[in-house]
Amino acid sequence: MLLHPLSPRPLPIPVAVVDGPTTELTVRVDLVAGRITLSGELDRHTAHHLLDAATALADGGHARWVVDVSDLHFCDTAGLRAISAVYRRALRHDARLTVVEPGAWLRRALTALRLDGHLLPQPAAGSPPARLRAAR
């Protein structure tokens, strides 16, 4: 759903994007909340749509950008590069980017790239480390 800051109702703009024979990525941009929601596959065929969504957020003046990847099923190196590029763009606009609800595979990739401390939400003070929470 694409929201305009001056309109309480969603704009009638299609947000489903299909690229290539088998690759599909749905991008939803909430300009009011500064949130991008991704569903499907983020790869070399679709990564530019994430960059386009970040361009839309850049004009909003938000201090915090959120990329919700809870419904992302696949992310290749081009997708990781796109996430990294959105992070750098957020920094240039004095915003903090948070990637929420990543799958274990994406969390491991962001950790291997040493982006986890920059992009992933930090646990609340006094809560057990993630590895201990997962063991419960």
Side-chain angles (χ1 to χ4, degrees), residues 13-103:
I13 297 174
V15 293
V17 179
V18 178
D19 258 350
T22 60
T23 302
E24 184 174 317
L25 178 70
T26 301
V27 181
R28 291 182 180 87
V29 180
D30 183 340
L31 296 175
V32 175
R35 185 180 194 91
I36 300 169
T37 304
L38 302 176
S39 301
E41 301 178 5
L42 184 62
D43 60 17
R44 67 185 183 101
H45 298 290
T46 61
H48 66 281
H49 296 296
L50 173 57
L51 300 176
D52 293 342
T55 299
L57 283 187
D59 295 334
H62 297 284
R64 183 171 181 248
W65 297 3
V66 175
V67 177
D68 181 344
V69 295
S70 58
D71 290 328
L72 197 64
H73 307 295
F74 177 80
C75 181
D76 68 2
T77 56
L80 289 170
R81 278 193 304 273
I83 292 170
S84 179
V86 171
Y87 168 63
R88 290 189 307 275
R89 185 174 296 176
L91 290 178
R92 284 195 305 272
H93 286 87
D94 296 321
R96 173 164 171 72
L97 176 66
T98 304
V99 176
V100 296
E101 300 295 326

